[in-house]
Amino acid sequence: MHKIVLSALLALSFSTSLSHAQSAWTGGDDLPTNPLACDATPATPVSKPYDGGEPTNAPDRKGKTLKVVDVPKLVGIGYFNATSKGIADAAKEMGTMDAKTDGPSKANIDDQITLIDNYITSGVDGILFAANDPVAIAPVLKKALAAGINVVGYDANSTPDARQWFVNQAEFNGIAKASIDSMAKEIGEDGAFAIVTSTFTTPNQARWISEMQAYQAKCHPNMKWLETVEAQEDNILSFNQANTLINKYGDDLKGIFGMTSVATPAAAEAVTQAGKCGKVAVVGLATPNAMKPYVNKDCVKSVVLWNPVDLGYAAAYVLRATADGDLKPGSTSVKAGKLGELSVINGSEILLGAPTVFTKDNINDFDF
Amino acid sequence: MAMSVDLPPTRPASAARRPGFLSRLFAEYGQEIVVLAAIVVLFIVVTMVNPRFISANNLTTIFAGNAYIAVAAIGMSMVIVTGNIDVSVGALIGVLATISGTLAVAGYPVWVAWFFPVLVGMAIMGVQGVLVAYARIPSIVVTLGAMSILRGGLISVTGGTWISGLPSEFLLAQQRWFGVPSPIVMMVVLTVLAFLWMRYSAFGRSLYAVGGNPEAALATGIPIERRIVAVFVIHGAFAGLATILFATQLQVIQSTVPPNLELTVITASVIGGVSILGGSGTVIGSTLATILFAAIGSALIFVNVSAYWLRAVIGLLILATVLADMMRRRGKA
Amino acid sequence: MNLKSLIRHETFLALLLVAVLIVLSFQSDRFFTVSNLLNQGRLMTETGLIAIAMTFVIATGGIDLSVGSILGLVAILTGVFWHNVGMPLGLAAVAAIAVGTFAGFVNGLIITRFRVPPLIATLATLALYRGLAEGISQARSVRGYPDWFYVLGQGEVLGVPTQLWILVAAAIIASVILAYTRWGRTVYAIGSNEVASRFSGLSVEKTKLALYTASGFAAAVAAVIFVSRVSTTRSDMGTGIELDAITAVVLGGTSIFGGRGTILGTVIGLCLIQALKNGLSLAGVKGDGTIMLIGAVLILAILASNLFERSGTR
């Protein structure tokens, strides 16, 4: 009897999964990719008309103190502690912003949506966010806009019409190019690598993996992707998964990508404890504090692709400029405090700037 | 389903006078044997596909990397044997790990950094035990509330900053004792000690009575309330010991609640044969179940099961194990 | 069922709710407004539907931990049936709800036919159904639904959020069934003494099977509402919702050992938790503080209720 029940369930589920095309790299999404040129040719900037949302009847906030809430994907991760610090630094520098960070304790959409909804009701002037899901967060952000609140995103975008501006740390294809090029430099043109990511449903990570696949196929076709494993945002699990990869492939594995600030240090730790420093390269995104032990021992050559503190800092300034009316649809750049002028790309995105690479020479100068 | 108190096996007098040793063993420890057999079969099958599965490094990853779950499951098994449950253990370990790391970085001797959290764990669990035993609040309610308090408290206090700069003497889980990684030694030693204690000490045997037949336990003079508080305190101690392994594996400590840890620990306990109805099951079973799950997780990667279906396969295996256990019990009863 | 002691818990809880509402409305003037309260009703519908079904399940002495996974499974199936298989959206939603109800039925089968204790059975299906959701969806989201679909989760009917009507209707129907029908009394009988119920000729197996199926159905409907509210599908939807529902049910006075519990209690418990989450946030307390307070309220409320009753049952 239970065999029938179980097989019915399985048949039902497998039949529906057959309708999906097989994506080559596990963990990528199915959106179109746009790989950059293989050499150092910069991407041709695409000029698009402004496609962000507009608040309804926003009051004139020029010069007034803004009450701002920052809602990252979750709290309790070094990365978002860094962005939060950046926002706090900017607020203190400006003197005219009251910012607080309040995020869900788990990276799921429901808690984040409820939080934002509560802050809309409480009457904040501005919302900064990093979305757990671009589409799921859109209805509540549109509600914020309709209430006259200024909405600016950073790190993880929503659909463009749900916010006014999005501060982009770097283009997805730019990050993909930098990552793959770094890996190719360390493991060679026909090295094999694996990926440790958080979950397959995290949008940024899925986008990066897709872009990485497209770029690698175009510019380093002899490199070999082995597999992708999930590790949530749990560093012990990331450590165990990285170890399993090292054990499974033995000497065939030359490199590991860490797609989150939790996965990269854990992968570096696994490589260190397996005694494979120098034999297995670790490339990925991470905060300097988590990586200092490994970079200082030469186990990891270079780390992180941008400065999260600057990201938060820029986002706060962009929000201020938006609320003051200095940054409006059609602007081509915005002044962001000590970061200078940041340019507008893709219609309603602000580009943070060139990636920051942490190496042995400079990693000890940072504390986040 | 009749509930009975499992009596510990008495010394076998003569093999001819009672059913064979093996069939008694199977009747007594059926579920543990099934899990052990599953582990052996798994290792054989996967090694045929990829011999690196039983390489020393991978065995270390499987056993040592998950030993903390097995140690936590020892305490959880004891709680479940008495007919209670605890969903706050994951949050507790997160809190204790943060305390441990903070002490270590602040320069306290490593002994303090290791064992002070054990005391804290015992205290926190002791409070919960008192609420369950004396205030008569169901354990799921108390531990659900405690989980929320601990989780929120952890974020409030730490803001989620990672703890780095741990002194190398602190990293106990990376040490090797007698050539074997320390987590494995701790896991095995604690399991055996706990098993022997539960089987052969009056206190341990009384726990089975409390869970299996509380009226009879009361009638024989077992102080049920004190036992329940005691078992929660012991569970807190094991959570603290598990924290030592958990917090000293890497060079950084993530001061967050490890996701789903309580579910993993509970699943290991019940799959290992501890009955949620109270009254039977051993800690050997929960340790074996932890190993089985860790091995399955690794095995599925080794045999290239599509990463998208990983969780479904594990779920299916859990369900199959549960059904198989119930069929076996029904055959026995 | 002790009517006197039952009424006392619900009364106590209702008084607590009123007290909380009063305190919170002093902390922020935006709390006790019609639009905010209606909005909170919208946000608590998914947990509410599951909690209502969970009341029945817990009243029989059982539990269902797999509701969150069923929600995730039904959510992605809605998208998959519509987008990949090509069904019209209404039919896709109905088919997905059917699968979710079937998942609840399977839970019931495992518990009644195979006699697996509900905690273990639903712990196993929690893992299985979540895994199925991830596998079938291949971690893809389905978005871009037609506008009419969003009326369910984001729209209003006669000025009240659409899903709130569904919640209220479900609560009324459920409380009638539980309190006034023979079926409802069977539920209490099973919870109080399952063996005696069986010997009295009550159809214990059929009732339990129906309850777990209903629990799956509630989670499935909640899933469709959720998809409509957030306009996308994700395989991790509903993670943790089982604990929220159980908290509301237990807070509402349903005994985890079975034999006691009312829908009214569950609804009051639900409102209390939602009021705390919202009111505390408006008062400036951050998410972590809110979680702690809710945990404390849960323990203290049951403690206080136990002290009032002075009954000695474990």
Side-chain angles (χ1 to χ4, degrees), chain B residues 59-310:
Chain B
L59 292 178
T60 304
T61 304
I62 295 177
F63 289 91
N66 292 282
Y68 73 98
I69 300 177
V71 171
I74 295 175
M76 181 70 78
S77 294
M78 294 185 184
V79 169
I80 295 181
V81 157
T82 64
N84 291 298
I85 197 166
D86 171 33
V87 294
S88 70
V89 66
L92 180 65
I93 290 181
V95 168
L96 296 180
T98 304
I99 296 178
S100 186
T102 311
L103 291 173
V105 168
Y108 286 86
V110 283
W111 293 103
V112 175
W114 288 336
F115 291 111
F116 182 67
V118 174
L119 296 176
V120 174
M122 289 167 76
I124 294 179
M125 279 300 177
V127 169
Q128 295 186 52
V130 166
L131 288 171
V132 172
Y134 290 102
R136 310 239 183 248
I137 306 177
S139 55
I140 185 141
V141 174
V142 173
T143 57
L144 207 54
M147 176 177 83
S148 295
I149 296 177
L150 289 169
R151 236 178 63 212
L154 185 59
I155 298 176
S156 278
V157 170
T158 65
T161 39
W162 286 24
I163 304 174
S164 59
L166 300 168
S168 56
E169 319 83 66
F170 172 71
L171 300 174
L172 188 147
Q174 296 188 27
Q175 294 172 7
R176 288 186 159 244
W177 299 344
F178 316 109
V180 178
S182 59
I184 298 180
V185 176
M186 268 183 79
M187 172 173 78
V188 170
V189 167
L190 287 173
T191 303
V192 170
L193 286 178
F195 169 72
L196 293 174
W197 181 77
M198 285 188 79
R199 257 318 183 221
Y200 295 112
S201 77
F203 188 105
R205 294 211 302 270
S206 72
L207 295 180
Y208 286 103
V210 167
N213 200 334
E215 291 86 21
L218 202 54
T220 54
I222 296 175
I224 294 189
E225 285 91 0
R226 294 213 315 250
R227 286 288 182 268
I228 292 181
V229 175
V231 92
F232 270 87
V233 169
I234 296 171
H235 170 49
F238 276 100
L241 293 171
T243 304
I244 299 178
L245 294 177
F246 175 77
T248 61
Q249 262 189 343
L250 310 183
Q251 298 184 53
V252 290
I253 295 180
Q254 209 181 359
S255 54
T256 51
V257 173
N260 296 323
L261 181 54
E262 60 279 337
L263 276 182
T264 310
V265 172
I266 292 173
T267 308
S269 293
V270 302
I271 297 297
V274 176
S275 172
I276 205 69
L277 301 166
S280 68
T282 68
V283 296
I284 292 188
S286 63
T287 298
L288 287 176
T290 308
I291 295 174
L292 179 63
F293 284 130
I296 290 175
S298 182
L300 291 178
I301 294 182
F302 269 77
V303 301
N304 289 320
V305 169
S306 156
Y308 294 116
W309 287 103
L310 226 61

Side-chain angles (χ1 to χ4, degrees), chain A residues 321-346:
Chain A
T322 313
D324 287 345
D326 296 332
L327 176 62
K328 39 188 193 293
S331 306
T332 51
S333 71
V334 61
K335 184 147 175 16
K338 66 175 194 240
L339 296 175
E341 292 278 337
L342 302 179
S343 32
V344 171
I345 59 167
N346 285 342

Side-chain angles (χ1 to χ4, degrees), chain A residues 27 81 233 235 247-248 273, chain B residues 52 61 249 254 301 304 308:
Chain A
N81 287 337
E233 291 282 352
N235 66 351
N247 297 331
K248 173 180 176 182
Q273 288 194 23
Chain B
R52 293 206 190 102
T61 304
Q249 262 189 343
Q254 209 181 359
I301 294 182
N304 289 320
Y308 294 116

Side-chain angles (χ1 to χ4, degrees), chain A residues 111-368:
Chain A
D111 291 342
Q112 189 175 38
I113 291 173
T114 309
L115 262 175
I116 295 179
D117 201 300
N118 284 337
Y119 280 107
I120 295 174
T121 312
S122 78
V124 289
D125 298 310
I127 293 178
L128 292 168
F129 71 90
N132 278 310
D133 184 289
V135 179
I137 205 176
V140 77
L141 288 181
K142 286 189 191 159
K143 193 171 158 193
L145 287 173
I149 300 175
N150 295 110
V151 178
V152 167
Y154 66 94
D155 181 68
N157 206 355
S158 68
T159 54
D161 57 352
R163 80 304 178 267
Q164 292 176 269
W165 298 96
F166 172 66
V167 182
N168 199 350
Q169 53 272 32
E171 299 258 44
F172 290 118
N173 54 9
I175 294 175
K177 177 183 165 75
S179 310
I180 297 279
D181 282 345
S182 289
M183 183 65 84
K185 214 161 58 162
E186 285 193 52
I187 72 176
E189 286 299 323
D190 45 13
F193 58 88
I195 303 178
V196 179
T197 184
S198 54
T199 69
F200 297 137
T201 48
T202 321
N204 276 4
Q205 275 67 20
R207 283 276 49 236
W208 286 324
I209 293 177
S210 288
E211 289 287 351
M212 280 161 63
Q213 175 183 357
Y215 181 78
Q216 180 261 324
K218 179 174 170 185
C219 302
H220 300 276
N222 292 326
M223 286 176 77
K224 189 162 181 305
W225 167 81
L226 292 171
E227 78 179 277
T228 313
V229 292
E230 275 187 309
Q232 329 270 300
E233 291 282 352
D234 180 351
N235 66 351
I236 299 268
L237 185 56
S238 307
F239 173 71
N240 284 338
Q241 295 286 61
N243 266 326
T244 306
L245 289 173
I246 295 174
N247 297 331
K248 173 180 176 182
Y249 291 105
D251 291 327
D252 296 337
L253 180 73
K254 296 281 193 281
I256 298 181
F257 279 108
M259 301 303 297
T260 71
S261 57
V262 171
T264 314
E269 180 75 41
V271 168
T272 307
Q273 288 194 23
K276 291 205 163 192
C277 274
K279 296 199 210 115
V280 176
V282 176
V283 171
L285 146 73
T287 52
N289 277 355
M291 297 303 288
K292 275 178 193 164
Y294 314 107
V295 171
N296 285 330
K297 291 210 195 100
D298 267 323
C299 205
V300 174
K301 298 282 187 313
S302 58
V303 154
V304 180
L305 303 170
W306 64 88
N307 185 333
V309 178
D310 284 350
L311 183 61
Y313 181 90
Y317 268 98
V318 167
L319 184 62
R320 177 83 250 182
T322 313
D324 287 345
D326 296 332
L327 176 62
K328 39 188 193 293
S331 306
T332 51
S333 71
V334 61
K335 184 147 175 16
K338 66 175 194 240
L339 296 175
E341 292 278 337
L342 302 179
S343 32
V344 171
I345 59 167
N346 285 342
S348 57
E349 296 180 21
I350 315 268
L351 190 60
L352 182 63
T356 310
V357 180
F358 301 104
T359 62
K360 207 165 160 193
D361 305 318
N362 63 3
I363 198 169
N364 293 308
D365 301 334
F366 297 90
D367 182 21
F368 60 86

Side-chain angles (χ1 to χ4, degrees), chain C residues 163-178:
Chain C
Q163 62 261 58
L164 193 51
W165 288 111
I166 299 179
L167 179 64
V168 169
I172 294 177
I173 296 174
S175 37
V176 164
I177 292 179
L178 189 56

Side-chain angles (χ1 to χ4, degrees), chain C residues 4-310:
Chain C
K4 234 169 68 162
S5 73
L6 213 54
I7 288 187
R8 227 184 287 169
H9 179 89
E10 276 74 9
T11 319
F12 165 71
L13 205 65
L15 288 174
L16 184 60
L17 176 63
V18 169
V20 162
L21 287 175
I22 293 178
V23 169
L24 289 174
S25 60
F26 277 119
Q27 299 294 324
S28 162
D29 55 3
R30 294 165 195 259
F31 173 66
F32 207 74
T33 63
V34 173
S35 71
N36 184 41
L37 293 178
L38 285 179
N39 193 34
Q40 296 313 306
R42 185 198 295 283
L43 291 176
M44 74 184 197
T45 301
E46 291 111 17
T47 311
L49 288 173
I50 293 178
I52 289 174
M54 186 75 76
T55 312
F56 286 88
V57 170
I58 294 185
T60 63
I63 200 167
D64 187 353
L65 295 175
S66 66
V67 283
S69 301
I70 295 180
L71 195 155
L73 181 59
V74 171
I76 60 107
L77 281 178
T78 310
V80 165
F81 285 152
W82 177 62
H83 185 252
N84 299 70
V85 177
M87 291 183 186
L89 184 52
L91 189 58
V94 168
I97 293 180
V99 173
T101 312
F102 179 67
F105 179 74
V106 169
N107 277 340
L109 274 183
I110 298 174
I111 292 171
T112 56
R113 270 305 191 91
F114 294 95
R115 314 262 182 199
V116 179
L119 184 79
I120 304 180
T122 56
L123 203 56
T125 52
L126 174 150
L128 176 62
Y129 294 152
R130 184 66 67 188
L132 285 177
E134 192 173 294
I136 296 175
S137 67
Q138 300 275 293
R140 304 265 189 274
S141 294
V142 174
R143 42 188 81 160
Y145 298 93
D147 280 338
W148 64 262
F149 184 60
Y150 298 135
V151 173
L152 178 60
Q154 302 176 37
E156 302 185 345
V157 172
L158 302 175
V160 169
T162 320
Q163 62 261 58
L164 193 51
W165 288 111
I166 299 179
L167 179 64
V168 169
I172 294 177
I173 296 174
S175 37
V176 164
I177 292 179
L178 189 56
Y180 297 112
T181 66
R182 205 183 68 149
W183 216 57
R185 287 197 283 280
T186 309
V187 167
Y188 286 125
I190 297 174
S192 302
N193 195 331
E194 184 168 326
V195 177
S197 310
R198 205 165 276 145
F199 280 119
S200 320
L202 292 174
S203 49
V204 171
E205 307 306 319
K206 275 212 248 164
T207 308
K208 287 214 263 185
L209 197 57
L211 291 182
Y212 286 97
T213 310
S215 183
F217 174 70
V221 171
V224 174
I225 294 177
F226 193 26
V227 171
S228 168
R229 179 160 73 86
V230 300
S231 61
T232 185
T233 66
R234 286 177 63 93
S235 60
D236 64 358
M237 281 176 162
T239 315
I241 205 172
E242 63 277 351
L243 292 181
D244 291 339
I246 292 173
T247 305
V249 172
V250 166
L251 192 56
T254 306
S255 168
I256 205 77
F257 302 111
R260 266 185 33 178
T262 62
I263 301 293
L264 178 63
T266 301
V267 169
I268 299 179
L270 193 66
C271 291
L272 182 57
I273 294 176
Q274 192 68 27
L276 281 171
K277 277 191 193 166
N278 175 242
L280 288 172
S281 182
L282 292 178
V285 177
K286 296 211 299 192
D288 38 298
T290 308
I291 300 177
M292 288 179 77
L293 267 156
I294 291 181
V297 164
L298 177 63
I299 295 180
L300 291 172
I302 304 299
L303 183 63
S305 173
N306 278 1
L307 289 176
F308 281 154
E309 279 176 55
R310 297 173 195 277

